[in-house]
Amino acid sequence: MSGVVTDPPFTGPADVARRLDEVDYLVEEGTSTALFLAMALGRPLLLEGEPGVGKTAAAKAMAAALDTPLIRLQCYEGLTAAETLYEWNHQRQLLAIRLAESRHERLAEADLFGEEFLQDRPILRAVRHTGPTAPVLLIDEIDRADEEFEALLLEFLGEAAVTVPELRTFRAVRPPYVVLTSNRSRELHDALRRRCLYHWIDFPPAARAAEIVRRRVPTANEPLIASATDFVGRARGLDLEKPPGMAETIDWVSALSVLKVSELLRADIVSTLGALAKSPDDRTAITDALDELGHPESASA
């Protein structure tokens, strides 16, 4: 799939950042550069980072900025070719057989494996897309799938093509913009990594986190946004099973705003931790660390 795109949809990293900003996705320079190069070079982009840093949202924002379809493949253990590439419409094949029998006709095996019986799944759908702009194909949380699944992707990632043995090799007229995401729950194979450009997304710094929350929770006041995002940044320094990402931060500030909290106090933190901490151990760890996180017991009085 590599090769310089003659007419890339963005003029440079700054244009990427500007147009993603227009669809309410704030991006730092490293990520905007990675997205631009992936599109300009016609290469898949592998985004890694902790859960909740905006990897999936980046692909969604790309599709929105380009006004093109987002085709999403959510990965999980046991994912198969029939669910990702293509499968045959067995009901239509059986109907064709019965219709031929009623007419006393004989069907050759090849007659049952024509394109009219082929069902596109996300990857073949992206390859056969005929719209004016290439779609964005999101292969989400690839680390959740089995290693065997990675082998299914190699032809597509390298050549923007899918081979259907009974028919032919389908090649994309407009190769899709491919974004793969991983939370590093397991190591990905080198063969897959070699076919992709790579970028690691960190948790956003406090100022950008506050701006993201400000856009998503416009009902929250500035002091609450500032104190909440600062608190979350400090909490990530604890030994947590699942450090809170931006999704949890937005949920938490939304909950505080619904409760009409204007100033972050200890009692409010404790009562709304279910939006921030996603396990009993993490809830306990944050509660036990409230003093060092700047919210001692006396502060709630």
Side-chain angles (χ1 to χ4, degrees):
M1 197 182 292
S2 61
V4 177
V5 177
T6 56
D7 188 21
F10 299 111
T11 59
D15 188 36
V16 173
R18 178 184 63 80
R19 290 175 63 182
L20 293 187
D21 186 10
E22 291 174 354
V23 294
D24 280 340
Y25 183 80
L26 293 178
V27 63
E28 40 77 34
E29 184 178 1
T31 302
S32 64
T33 301
L35 291 169
F36 172 72
L37 289 177
M39 288 183 282
L41 298 176
R43 297 284 298 278
L45 177 62
L46 172 59
L47 295 177
E48 288 192 329
E50 296 291 341
V53 294
K55 304 182 295 295
T56 299
K60 292 180 178 180
M62 277 179 57
L66 295 172
D67 192 23
T68 196
L70 173 74
I71 300 174
R72 181 173 182 174
L73 173 58
Q74 179 63 54
C75 297
Y76 55 88
E77 187 176 353
L79 197 59
T80 65
E83 296 162 305
T84 59
L85 302 176
Y86 65 89
E87 65 179 333
W88 296 102
N89 189 326
H90 300 301
Q91 289 184 333
R92 288 194 63 184
Q93 288 172 323
L94 287 173
L95 183 62
I97 291 171
R98 290 171 182 168
L99 184 60
E101 289 175 346
S102 70
R103 296 173 176 173
H104 304 288
E105 299 173 349
R106 294 188 62 183
L107 286 179
E109 183 177 350
D111 295 329
L112 295 173
F113 291 94
E115 287 196 39
E116 67 269 27
F117 299 108
L118 187 66
Q119 291 184 311
D120 295 357
R121 292 308 180 218
I123 293 176
L124 185 57
R125 191 185 316 143
V127 167
R128 299 219 289 173
H129 178 75
T130 57
T133 305
V136 174
L137 174 63
L138 168 62
I139 303 176
D140 210 11
E141 298 183 313
I142 190 173
D143 53 318
R144 289 180 176 268
D146 303 320
E147 291 185 15
E148 291 79 5
F149 171 66
E150 294 182 43
L152 293 175
L153 290 178
L154 297 184
E155 177 189 26
F156 166 69
L157 293 178
E159 303 173 24
V162 172
T163 297
V164 180
E166 298 87 349
L167 288 174
R168 59 187 175 87
T169 296
F170 293 89
R171 299 187 184 278
V173 175
R174 295 181 181 86
Y177 303 115
V178 183
V179 176
L180 303 91
T181 73
S182 168
N183 296 325
R184 291 188 62 85
S185 63
R186 68 171 177 84
E187 281 295 326
L188 302 177
H189 199 278
D190 287 345
L192 183 140
R193 289 183 176 275
R194 284 197 300 270
R195 285 165 172 77
C196 302
L197 298 184
Y198 176 82
H199 182 64
W200 174 271
I201 300 183
D202 283 315
F203 287 116
R208 186 177 298 114
E211 177 59 25
I212 292 169
V213 173
R214 190 175 297 116
R215 293 183 180 209
R216 298 298 182 88
V217 194
T219 56
N221 64 31
E222 289 298 322
L224 177 62
I225 291 173
S227 57
T229 51
D230 177 71
F231 180 89
V232 172
R234 291 169 180 266
R236 291 189 189 120
L238 303 174
D239 185 18
L240 302 178
E241 294 177 16
K242 301 180 184 300
M246 285 309 305
E248 288 78 19
T249 306
I250 291 167
D251 285 346
W252 188 43
V253 176
S254 296
L256 292 167
S257 181
V258 165
L259 294 173
K260 302 190 183 307
V261 173
S262 58
E263 180 183 358
L264 191 61
L265 300 177
R266 183 184 179 105
D268 299 316
I269 295 171
V270 173
S271 65
T272 57
L273 266 183
L276 197 63
K278 297 307 174 74
S279 75
D281 289 344
D282 283 357
R283 180 185 177 89
T284 299
I286 293 175
T287 303
D288 290 347
L290 284 176
D291 286 1
E292 63 184 274
L293 293 174
H295 293 273
E297 189 75 43
S298 59
S300 62

